[in-house]
Amino acid sequence: MAKTLIIPGLFGSGAGHWQRHWLDDRPQAALVEQEDWDHPVLEQWRGALEQAILRHGVVDLVAHSLGCVLVASLARRPIARQVRGALLVAPCDLDATERLHPGAISFGAMPDHPLPFPSLIVGSLNDPYMPFDRLRYISTRWGSRLVDLGQAGHINVASGFGRWSRGYDLLTVLNGIARRELAQPIVVQSSETRESSVVAAR
């Protein structure tokens, strides 16, 4: 079974965050640690991620916020061949993040290249870190299927996402895409609040 690497964003994912629950619930999950969660530098964060991928071989990536941008920065890196798929939850826009946290990040420009591995972006209509029209544009540029959770904020503890079991289902869907390389749209339905979603084909 492929290792699942959990990749938090700015400030890390603290107690109660769905990524922390993922680490507790899934024995094959491992956290990608960073030396400085509060002042991310792209080259340093990417180095830690690439080392983790090298350590574990073929991996699934489960990222949140700035962690999604970090994953997207792998697009033209040789290490991307070891990524089976990426679940990208609430990607942040770098300009919006800079406005909300002036001087906190050093990540350069927003990645703009298609990802060479299957990916699902899970987004929200009212995420302060990413306007939805911008999210649609990014998902197109990255070649990702887009899952809309509706009014779900930044998909974190503050917006009601503690243990988020639907994320496990979405990773299963992503693994199926990786196996079958589906060309047709997939409809993902859920009875949970805010989680009826259409996954658009690339």
Side-chain angles (χ1 to χ4, degrees), residues 83-103:
V83 178
R84 182 169 67 170
L87 182 63
L88 307 174
V89 182
C92 68
D93 180 70
L94 293 179
D95 289 342
T97 305
E98 177 62 29
R99 288 194 298 272
L100 290 166
H101 306 284

Side-chain angles (χ1 to χ4, degrees), residues 14 34 68 75 83 85 98 139 153 186 190 194:
Q34 300 292 349
C68 302
V83 178
E98 177 62 29
S139 67
I186 304 168
S190 171
R194 301 192 305 264

Side-chain angles (χ1 to χ4, degrees), residues 117-161:
F117 40 77
S119 58
L120 292 180
I121 288 179
V122 184
S124 164
L125 296 174
N126 63 334
D127 188 343
Y129 287 86
M130 176 74 81
F132 195 71
D133 58 348
R134 175 72 168 155
L135 183 66
R136 286 189 180 278
Y137 171 79
I138 291 297
S139 67
T140 300
R141 296 298 301 172
W142 292 356
S144 305
R145 294 164 171 86
L146 176 60
V147 178
D148 170 15
L149 295 191
Q151 303 290 323
H154 196 44
I155 315 178
N156 56 7
V157 175
S159 56
F161 287 81

Side-chain angles (χ1 to χ4, degrees), residues 6 15 35 40 48-49 59 76 81 105 116 128 138 147 179 194:
I6 304 298
E35 287 189 14
L49 174 57
V59 295
R76 294 188 165 184
R81 291 192 295 269
I105 61 174
I138 291 297
V147 178
R179 286 193 302 269
R194 301 192 305 264

Side-chain angles (χ1 to χ4, degrees), residues 42 65-74 91-92 94 107 109-111 142:
L42 174 60
S65 193
L66 190 64
C68 302
V69 182
L70 176 62
V71 169
S73 77
L74 296 178
C92 68
L94 293 179
F107 252 59
M110 199 73 181
W142 292 356

